[in-house]
Amino acid sequence: MASSHSSSPVPQSNSSDAFFKKEMDATKRFRPVQSLPDVCPKEPTGDPSNLCDSPSLVVDQHRWTIYHSKVNLPAALNDPRLAKRESDFFTKTWGVDFVDTEVTPSFYLPQITKEHFALYQQEITPREKVHERCKNICAPKDTFDRTLLHTHDKSRTDLEQVPKIFMKPDFALEDSLTFNAVLPWSHFSTAGGKGNRDAASSKLLQEKLSHYLDIVEVNIAHQISLRSEAFFHAMTSQHELQDYLRKTSQAVKLLREKISKIDKVMCEGSLRVLRLSLTRNNCMKAYNKLKLMATVHQTQPTVQLLLSTSEFVGALDLIATTQEVLQQELQGIHSFRHLGSQLCELEKLIDKMMIAEFSTYARNDLNRPLEDDCQILEEERLVSLVFGLLKQRKLNFYEIYGDEMIITAKNIIKQCVVNTVSQIEEIDTEVVVKLADQMRMMNFPQWFDLLKNIFSKFTIFLKRIKATLNTIHSVVFLVLDKNQKTRDLEDTLQKNSAKDSTVDTEVAYLTHEGMFISDAFSEGDLPPVAADDTTSQRNTSPNSEPCSSDSVSEPECTTDSSSSKEQTTSSVTPGGVEMMISDDMKLTDLELVRLANNIQELLYNASDICHDRSVKFLMARAKDGFLEKLNSSEFVALSRLMEGFILDTEQICGRKSMSLRGALQSQANRFVNRFHEERKTKLSLLLDNERWKQAEVPAEFQDLVDLVSDGRISLPEKKPAATEERKPTEFLIVEGQKYATVGTVLLLIRIILEYCQCVDNIPSITTDMLTRLSDLLKYFNSRSCQLVLGAGALQVVGLKTITTKNLALSSRCLQLIVHYIPIIRAHFEARLQPKQFSMLRHFDHITKDYHDHIAEISAKLVAIMDSLFDKLLSKYEVKAPVPSACFRNICKQMAKMHEAIYDLLPEEQTQMLFLRINASYKLHLKRQLAHLNVVNDGGPLNGLVTSDVAFYTGNLQALKGLNNLDLNMAEIWEQKR
């Protein structure tokens, strides 16, 4: 029985072998059960083996499985709506009517018959037979098991008498709690009166423990008896086992000897070669790593050396490469644990050094002598600084340059004033301490030269700023262009990778024994685009020549990082400075464009700064009214100088600055007001002193008029006194016509030309000058009318009377001014903007006013003779002698009138005037004849009148220029009806 129960290492029967083989291959013989049609979309379908597996969180997290099915059993069995518990689950859940309801078979479920299980029965029948055969073979095992079970139950009953504390795995009497639980102290107490009882208790405890020991020993003996047959069987099998072991030991020894010989002959050498090769590779890796560590160790001294020569870009590239090597290839090196933070601090220090260096450069560039011809100071240094600042994203460096521009502009003016004041002996710097006060002591030529010097300095200053900012601008655009090329390259590589996905897949896994992707390609295998853009290719394969650790400044030693993606491209600035642009510029196109716009705006600000400082310089000089006291030539020179400087700055900077132009306009307005007031006052004084007599015309005025006739509206230059002075002429010849004028009109013409010339010299005041000139012409017209027609000259100058000669001279003077008004209008029209042409209407109004004035003078002359005719002809009587005294007086007055105006007015105007006078004469004569009842009847009275009229006609036509005048004297007679 024991032997049947024991298990031998080798199975005893073939049927057992078949059984074990069957059981081992059973999984292979099972066919998957066909799944039924899916009647619920949420129920699991497919391989039935999947139903036995636990759900996968990755696969089944969004799919319904059987584990989502949940049933609340108390809720299903207990229905509070029913009075008693229903035995049927469905009746309880869905009501009593559920049992009586016929369920319609689902057409989704097939009808299951025995034929569906035929295949299963065919497969399971052999297994059932094998199972029955095994049960018959192992029948004694059941008897042994029942006996063993009975014995085991009895032993368990006996062992239950033993306290649990003895069965604990951590039972130890050394523990005080365990000891007190097994041997209570109360059983060993020696107090008086209780000795016998304690002794009995101790004896009882000893017997109890002995009983426990007997129970345990009996159980142990029983267990040994149960295993006795197996024990004796093992002892008999020991000798056979020893024989098997001895044979096996000999066979193993022989095998080991053969293997040892084979190892020595065939494997040891090859394995040693492989081991040495692996050792060599490891040594090479260790050597390269140590070499890289030595190079990294030299980073800080190399950075210090680069910083000593202001190679900030190289220092930053070295720091960036070292940081990358530390993070990728030297990560975890204990000796370099603080190097990363030290390099970060060093990078921050370099940032501060670059800003300080740029500030120093800006100060040196802007404050160097302006006489120096060099436009850009140390262009290579500037390019390096700007590139370093861009690399560190210090995009506000241009503000430093802007601050230095303001300071330098102030210093330029101050230095120019100091240099000029030191050369003027009249200014005592010890008495006059303030620089502004010293400047105000200069006269106009000195101050004008100072201003010219300041403007020239500012022009050079702006040219230097433009050259420097253009260099910075070019660096920014080179970086922007590099970014664009990098994006194009990436797009090209992405397109190539999409086409050659197979090659890229292989390349992605090309890492073996420390080799990197870049090492898998030779120089000829590189893509054409990458080969053009890459300046250097690293090679870290074991066969390559290692770079020497002594030369720490070599690029391959410094950038011995296979993962470094930094590539450089050579670019040349407009100044011819070559620089290397790396791909690690983390600046967006928007940032670079904004920076370029700010740099361009800085150039505009430079122009504004120079203009603002110049305005302050002008205002400081204008405090005492100095600029308002300038004469025309001085102000014109000042205006031209300022206009030239404004145009120069616009040409340099490309934008108009309005501050200096506004200051010039303000001063020009003040100049125009003073200019106009002076000339208006002068004209007023001339008119108040004018006696309205014909003046001689000096030669210079005739030359002035001739220049205007030639189309040059300007004042002639003063010529040196000629040996023979030309005598004044009686008349002013204008385009072949004679003009008799007064001295005031001659000066007025000169004043008008001064206005015109001022407009040529200062175009910005054209509109103001037009308005002022219009006012001046209106003033002359109105004032001359008051003095002559209004007889104001009688009180102002003291004339006895306003004669016809005064009137004719005044008319001729007005005609001369009217002659020049179209010329003046054309002059101003050529200098006005089209939108300002409406201002020319002032000249039209002035022309009309002058013509009206001339007509009033002509009417006044006619009125004088009309009053004379009225006075004389009212006393006319038709009687002898002939000619009568009345007609003699009329002819005499007519001769005087002719004599007064003939030399002053043109012949045509004289004739027209006398025609009007003759008409007035005929009107009064006709009226008197009608009063006297003298008619054209051929009688004696008619003959007398005809004789007087003939006398009048003869005398009038005998006057110079009136011989062809048609008098038409027949109109004096009343026409018969």
Side-chain angles (χ1 to χ4, degrees), residues 895-907:
K896 289 182 178 180
M897 169 69 74
H898 181 269
E899 182 182 2
I901 68 173
Y902 181 77
D903 294 334
L904 301 179
L905 297 178
E907 186 175 345

Side-chain angles (χ1 to χ4, degrees), residues 36 50 69 161 201 295 336 360 383 456 486 629 788 829 891 977:
L36 296 177
N50 295 335
S69 177
Q161 298 178 9
S201 300
T295 302
F336 288 154
T360 304
V383 171
S456 63
T486 303
K629 299 176 182 178
V788 180
E829 184 176 3
C891 291
R977 298 178 182 178

Side-chain angles (χ1 to χ4, degrees), residues 618-637:
L618 288 173
M619 294 301 102
R621 189 64 183 92
K623 281 186 177 181
D624 54 354
F626 173 76
L627 298 181
E628 297 178 5
K629 299 176 182 178
L630 298 179
N631 56 38
S632 300
S633 60
E634 291 174 344
F635 188 84
V636 167

